[in-house]
Amino acid sequence: MFKRDVLQIKDLIMKNLRAQGLETPLLQKRLVDSWQEVAGEMVASYTREVYIRNQTLYVHLTNPALRADLSMMRTELVKKLNNHVGSQVIADIRFC
C-alpha cells in the first residue's frame, strides 16, 4: 500500500497563488484592510488613505498630533500588522 501526500485546502490555495505570483498582492490587501482593526476605530476615523509601496505602509492622517503619536509607535504597529496577516509584508510605516 502507498502513502498519499495529503495537504490542506489552505496550503494548496497558497501554493497556487505563490506559483502565479499573487500571494504578495493578496497579503498586502489583507494588511491594508486590517489597518482599522489593528489601529483602532478612533485612529481609523482620522485616516484618509492607506497604501503599500516598496514594503512601506503609507498612512495619510488628518490630525497632526495623532501623526506624531503614531510615529513613536511605528515599530510596534509594524509588528502588530505583520502578525495580524501572518507574514512579513511591511518593514516600515510612514505617516503623512
Side-chain angles (χ1 to χ4, degrees), residues 50-61:
V50 179
Y51 60 92
I52 297 175
R53 183 175 294 145
N54 298 331
Q55 289 190 331
T56 301
L57 180 69
Y58 290 88
V59 181
H60 292 269
L61 298 169

Side-chain angles (χ1 to χ4, degrees), residues 16-79:
N16 189 22
L17 287 173
R18 191 174 303 119
Q20 294 180 11
L22 298 173
E23 180 182 29
T24 302
L26 176 65
L27 291 173
Q28 289 177 347
K29 173 74 170 125
R30 281 188 195 164
L31 191 130
V32 168
D33 290 345
S34 69
W35 171 251
Q36 181 176 357
E37 185 178 336
V38 173
E41 288 184 29
M42 193 274 301
V43 173
S45 68
Y46 290 105
T47 302
R48 271 194 344 214
E49 188 178 5
V50 179
Y51 60 92
I52 297 175
R53 183 175 294 145
N54 298 331
Q55 289 190 331
T56 301
L57 180 69
Y58 290 88
V59 181
H60 292 269
L61 298 169
T62 59
N63 187 329
L66 181 62
R67 187 179 312 135
D69 288 344
L70 290 177
S71 291
M72 289 185 267
M73 298 173 42
R74 274 190 354 212
T75 56
E76 182 181 334
L77 286 170
V78 168
K79 287 178 187 175

